[in-house]
């Protein structure tokens, strides 16, 4: 007669293969899916905020870099442009002082480059708490690093009608700074452009026929 097998004498049950691995894989897959969804939702906002932050900082630097030499060295419109008049007192020729303009542009670009290189990611960083609403994430910055190419600048002369027989002449400086930001998930390239008035005057009478 066969003896019955007692339950407590049986060995431990073996779990089927994959019983632990499958839940782990599912959990990892769900975590990755959540991260991808959050990144897709936040990336456009982070990108625009980062660009705006850089634009504000660099534009402020450009404005200061232009105003400082103009005020400290007392550079006036007459230093940059020479007006030639006829016997009737009408302006006939505008002659730009090329040497002075080039020297001013070089000095301004040097100031911009020096100030831009001093900016760091902490000043340009966007606190994660601003996007998530969690105060504990405020110390986490979404802009990790940033680099800026050598700025370029060019002068432009703008003539604008400013009333009857009056023309406003402005010597404008157009500046461009190419920037690259490193944010979670990749990089963002942007170009900061700014136009600053270096000098201006109001011409009374006809617009000169000749500009040199």
């Amino acid at each position: 007669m066969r003896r019955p097998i007692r339950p407590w004498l049986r060995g431990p049950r073996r779990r089927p293969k994959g019983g632990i691995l499958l839940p782990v894989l599912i959990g990892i897959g769900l975590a990755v899916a959540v991260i991808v969804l959050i990144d897709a939702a936040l990336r456009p906002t982070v990108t625009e905020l980062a660009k705006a932050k850089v634009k504000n900082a660099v534009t402020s630097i450009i404005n200061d870099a232009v105003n400082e030499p103009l005020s400290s060295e007392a550079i006036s419109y007459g230093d940059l442009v020479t007006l030639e008049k006829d016997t009737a007192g009408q302006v006939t020729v505008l002659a730009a002082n090329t040497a002075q303009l080039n020297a001013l542009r070089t000095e301004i670009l040097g100031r911009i480059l020096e100030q831009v290189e001093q900016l760091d990611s902490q000043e340009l960083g966007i606190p994660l708490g601003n996007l998530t609403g969690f105060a504990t994430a405020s110390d986490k910055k979404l802009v990790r690093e940033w680099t800026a190419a050598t700025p370029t600048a060019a002068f432009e002369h703008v003539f604008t009608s400013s009333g009857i027989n009056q023309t406003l002449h402005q010597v404008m400086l157009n500046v461009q700074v190419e920037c690259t930001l490193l944010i979670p998930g990749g990089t963002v390239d942007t170009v900061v452009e700014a136009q600053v008035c270096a000098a201006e005057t109001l011409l009374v009478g006809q617009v000169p026929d000749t500009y040199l």
Side-chain angles (χ1 to χ4, degrees), residues 14 22 35 39 51 60 65 67 75 90 100 110 113 136 152 173 185 189 193 200:
R14 294 184 178 180
L22 184 59
I35 293 174
D39 179 75
K51 287 183 178 181
S60 178
N67 293 329
I75 297 177
Q90 296 292 328
Q100 182 66 42
L113 183 59
T136 55
T152 59
L173 182 65
D189 296 324
E193 298 180 337
E200 64 181 8

Side-chain angles (χ1 to χ4, degrees), residues 13 16 26 39 60 70 73 81 85 92 101 122 127 145 152 177 190 192 196-197 203 205:
R13 289 186 178 181
I26 293 176
D39 179 75
S60 178
L70 293 177
E73 301 174 20
V81 180
K85 301 181 180 180
T92 57
L101 288 173
Q122 292 298 319
E145 294 180 9
T152 59
V177 181
T190 184
V192 179
V196 185
C197 181
L203 304 176

Side-chain angles (χ1 to χ4, degrees), residues 32-136:
V32 171
V34 170
I35 293 174
V36 171
L37 291 175
I38 293 177
D39 179 75
L42 294 182
R43 174 166 289 275
T45 303
V46 172
T47 300
E48 293 304 317
L49 287 176
K51 287 183 178 181
K53 193 96 172 182
V54 171
K55 182 177 180 179
N56 291 338
V58 176
T59 301
S60 178
I61 289 175
I62 293 173
N63 290 330
D64 293 340
V66 174
N67 293 329
E68 285 176 5
L70 293 177
S71 58
S72 61
E73 301 174 20
I75 297 177
S76 63
Y77 176 87
D79 297 322
L80 304 178
V81 180
T82 300
L83 303 180
E84 295 184 9
K85 301 181 180 180
D86 58 15
T87 55
Q90 296 292 328
V91 178
T92 57
V93 177
L94 285 176
N97 187 339
T98 306
Q100 182 66 42
L101 288 173
N102 289 337
L104 180 60
R105 180 179 59 184
T106 301
E107 181 179 356
I108 290 173
L109 287 177
R111 290 174 180 267
I112 293 174
L113 183 59
E114 180 182 358
Q115 294 297 320
V116 164
E117 289 181 343
Q118 293 179 4
L119 285 175
D120 56 28
S121 57
Q122 292 298 319
E123 296 179 71
L124 301 175
I126 303 170
L128 182 58
N130 288 2
L131 299 177
T132 62
F134 295 105
T136 55

